[in-house]
RNA sequence: AGGGGUGUAGCUCAAUUGGCAGAGCGGAUGAUUCCAAAUCAUCAGGUUGCGGGUUCGAUUCCUGCCGCCCCUGCCA
């Protein structure tokens, strides 16, 4: 069935909760990579070209194409959702949306130790979660990376194009290598190269990224430039699509929300668990007593209000900020209110997730549909690449 | 492949001729706070990498295997 328990509730919820597309800025043509702060300036320009695409889409490569990936390393949490998934859904709901491909990047997940059955199970489960969040396979291409072997092929070719020095500068590799000294594999190091292949295989022009991925995307751009210079113009330079969403800290106050730290709220978390976790989440350490003025700008709870209350009720968000500063609103009440918002917005997702999990065959079918769509593009790109680099055409000589 | 090192609580590491396996951090609970943080108190947590052997008794000594790190090589 191609129209399964489509969580319309979740979809509306996600859409309503979502900030507008204008919040994400597409820096379409600027060569130097700058982090945009002001948003929306280019919205018109983008929509105009996007509209042009749509009419051409049938027979021509779209001017804009979005690619992004997510690793199947467990159930996605609030950080994944607010940082990436919600943007994906927003994009697809935009009237002038670009062509978009989203991959569950299981080859990337291989850089950490993971049991084969686990990898397969999590891949399927991630599919369920993404659909539950409202991603619509009829509007975007959703597929599994390893189903399109060209990723690996292009990855090798790119590893002969990328500069060692550039990779050695990757801070994320340094961090991960430091954290996981027992398994510093080469894949961890060349990760950004495979990522460049992921993106450029589809000649994607826009990549929704979090701040931590900007450096990797810059490498993709560099790889595209180097390839083009050496083998001829082939790839566009992908642009970052930075979301304005404030960085989410972990519930324990640490810099990042990550599963390994256990400071997350999973998307399918039970309401009681959500409430319990938020209840003991770290707030503003400077606000010692009930009547002390708060500092919303440093409070992670307020950041979360910005994500869950703000988009639906900006006035309420402003009131919370004001009342926190004036101590009219206490942290306990503030957390309760947040928990209500989170629970009510996550509930449809949780239910849809459960519904999808109950129909693994449909999930597999959907991934297969995605594979076909992705493979068609990937194969075309690779034909071009093989010809350019000189690994085709031997037999034809006479 | 050979040589050297290493493997003990979730993490970093202790354990004196072979004699009840501990500490710090982290975690949980309680006190205190509007909550959280901080502070104080309490608690949990282990097949000492796996298998043999010596011994009354092995984290410790011997042996085989496994993982990881470093060095020197070999093959392509």
């Amino acid at each position: 069935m191609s129209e399964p328990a489509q969580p319309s509730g979740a979809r509306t919820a996600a859409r309503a909760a979502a900030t507008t597309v204008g919040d994400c800025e597409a820096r379409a043509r600027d060569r130097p990579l700058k982090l945009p702060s002001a948003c929306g300036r280019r919205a018109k320009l983008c929509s105009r070209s996007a509209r042009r695409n749509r009419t051409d889409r049938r027979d021509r490569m779209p001017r804009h194409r979005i690619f992004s990936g997510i690793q199947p390393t467990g159930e996605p949490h609030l950080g994944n959702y607010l940082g990436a998934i919600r943007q994906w859904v927003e994009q697809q709901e935009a009237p002038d949306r670009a062509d978009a491909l989203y991959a569950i990047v299981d080859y990337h997940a291989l850089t950490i130790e993971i049991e084969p059955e686990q990898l397969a199970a999590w891949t399927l489960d991630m599919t369920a979660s993404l659909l539950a969040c409202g991603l619509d396979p009829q509007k975007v291409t959703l597929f599994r990376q390893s189903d399109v072997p060209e990723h690996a092929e292009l990855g090798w070719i790119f590893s002969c194009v990328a500069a060692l020095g550039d990779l050695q500068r990757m801070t994320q590799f340094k961090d991960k290598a430091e954290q996981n000294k027992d398994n510093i594999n080469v894949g961890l190091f060349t990760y950004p190269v495979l990522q460049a292949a992921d993106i450029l295989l589809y000649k994607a022009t826009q990549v929704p990224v979090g701040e931590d991925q900007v450096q990797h995307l810059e490498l993709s751009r560099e790889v595209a430039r180097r390839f083009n210079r050496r083998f001829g113009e082939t790839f566009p330079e992908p642009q970052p699509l930075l979301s304005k969403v404030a960085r989410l800290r972990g519930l324990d106050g640490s810099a990042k929300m990550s599963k390994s730290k256990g400071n997350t709220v999973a998307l399918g978390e039970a309401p009681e668990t959500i409430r319990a976790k938020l209840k003991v989440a770290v707030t503003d350490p400077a606000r010692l007593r009930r009547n002390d003025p708060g500092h919303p700008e440093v409070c992670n709870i307020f950041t979360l209000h910005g994500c869950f209350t703000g988009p639906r009720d900006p006035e309420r968000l402003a009131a919370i900020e004001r009342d926190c500063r004036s101590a009219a609103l206490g942290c306990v009440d503030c957390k309760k209110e947040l928990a209500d918002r989170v629970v009510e917005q996550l509930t449809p997702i949780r239910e849809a997730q459960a519904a999808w999990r109950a129909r693994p065959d449909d999930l597999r079918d959907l991934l297969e549909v995605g594979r076909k769509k992705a493979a068609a593009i990937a194969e075309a790109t690779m034909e071009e690449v093989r010809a350019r680099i000189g690994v085709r055409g031997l037999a034809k000589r006479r």
Side-chain angles (χ1 to χ4, degrees), chain A residues 183-324:
Chain A
N183 183 20
I184 307 180
N185 56 71
V186 177
L188 209 54
F189 183 67
T190 58
Y191 192 109
V193 175
L194 182 56
Q195 192 178 336
D198 296 337
I199 296 165
L200 296 175
L201 186 54
Y202 303 99
K203 301 192 178 185
T205 53
Q206 298 175 331
V207 182
V209 289
E211 251 175 275
D212 55 332
Q213 287 293 317
V214 169
Q215 198 187 23
H216 285 177
L217 186 62
E218 182 54 45
L219 185 97
S220 296
R221 294 159 57 80
E222 181 64 21
V223 165
R225 278 195 288 273
R226 290 171 74 108
F227 186 99
N228 289 347
R229 199 181 324 124
R230 182 168 159 189
F231 299 110
E233 196 67 23
T234 309
F235 297 111
E237 283 181 38
Q239 308 293 327
L241 215 52
L242 279 163
S243 87
K244 205 172 70 173
V245 174
R247 252 171 82 86
L248 261 196
R249 274 168 287 144
L251 297 184
D252 60 355
S254 66
K256 204 176 171 188
M257 187 176 272
S258 79
K259 213 171 80 120
S260 57
K261 287 186 177 172
N263 59 13
T264 68
V265 173
L267 289 190
E269 206 94 73
E272 318 82 70
T273 315
I274 295 175
R275 289 180 200 282
K277 284 187 170 181
L278 289 178
K279 198 172 169 186
V280 295
V282 170
T283 59
D284 168 17
R287 191 176 180 188
L288 296 178
R289 307 186 171 284
R290 173 66 182 80
N291 293 323
D292 290 343
H295 308 85
E297 67 277 7
V298 301
C299 182
N300 201 31
I301 297 298
F302 183 73
T303 306
L304 284 163
H305 265 300
C307 299
F308 283 93
T309 304
R312 309 183 136 191
D313 192 347
E315 294 81 22
R316 182 55 199 150
L317 183 68
I320 290 171
E321 175 166 15
R322 190 186 58 234
D323 292 348
C324 173

Side-chain angles (χ1 to χ4, degrees), chain A residues 82-247:
Chain A
L82 296 169
I85 302 172
R86 199 157 84 171
Q87 273 69 254
W88 298 3
V89 176
E90 273 167 40
Q91 273 296 333
Q92 94 186 347
E93 300 300 342
D96 56 350
R97 68 177 188 266
D99 208 26
L101 293 102
Y102 297 114
I104 297 169
V105 289
D106 49 352
Y107 276 151
H108 283 287
L110 221 46
T111 56
I112 61 167
E113 269 189 61
I114 176 171
E115 295 297 320
E117 307 79 40
Q118 184 80 97
L119 182 58
W122 273 343
T123 297
L124 212 56
D125 199 59
M126 180 58 79
T127 310
S129 296
L130 293 176
L131 294 169
C133 289
L135 208 63
D136 183 347
Q138 303 204 321
K139 294 179 179 163
V140 304
T141 302
L142 174 64
F143 69 106
R144 169 166 72 162
Q145 180 189 32
S146 63
D147 279 337
V148 182
E150 281 82 0
H151 285 259
E153 184 180 359
L154 189 57
W156 167 257
I157 295 166
F158 280 174
S159 74
C160 302
V161 170
L164 183 67
D166 286 344
L167 285 179
Q168 283 169 332
R169 247 167 261 131
M170 295 293 149
T171 56
Q172 199 176 86
F173 169 72
K174 293 185 206 167
D175 288 349
K176 287 201 170 173
E178 181 61 30
Q179 278 171 20
N180 195 0
K181 291 196 174 110
D182 277 353
N183 183 20
I184 307 180
N185 56 71
V186 177
L188 209 54
F189 183 67
T190 58
Y191 192 109
V193 175
L194 182 56
Q195 192 178 336
D198 296 337
I199 296 165
L200 296 175
L201 186 54
Y202 303 99
K203 301 192 178 185
T205 53
Q206 298 175 331
V207 182
V209 289
E211 251 175 275
D212 55 332
Q213 287 293 317
V214 169
Q215 198 187 23
H216 285 177
L217 186 62
E218 182 54 45
L219 185 97
S220 296
R221 294 159 57 80
E222 181 64 21
V223 165
R225 278 195 288 273
R226 290 171 74 108
F227 186 99
N228 289 347
R229 199 181 324 124
R230 182 168 159 189
F231 299 110
E233 196 67 23
T234 309
F235 297 111
E237 283 181 38
Q239 308 293 327
L241 215 52
L242 279 163
S243 87
K244 205 172 70 173
V245 174
R247 252 171 82 86

Side-chain angles (χ1 to χ4, degrees), chain A residues 30-51:
Chain A
D30 305 334
R31 267 264 302 222
L33 181 60
K34 280 176 245 145
L35 302 189
S37 50
C39 297
R41 212 180 328 132
R42 281 183 180 269
K44 248 183 202 133
L45 183 61
C46 291
S47 60
R48 202 189 308 137
S49 46
R51 209 174 303 129

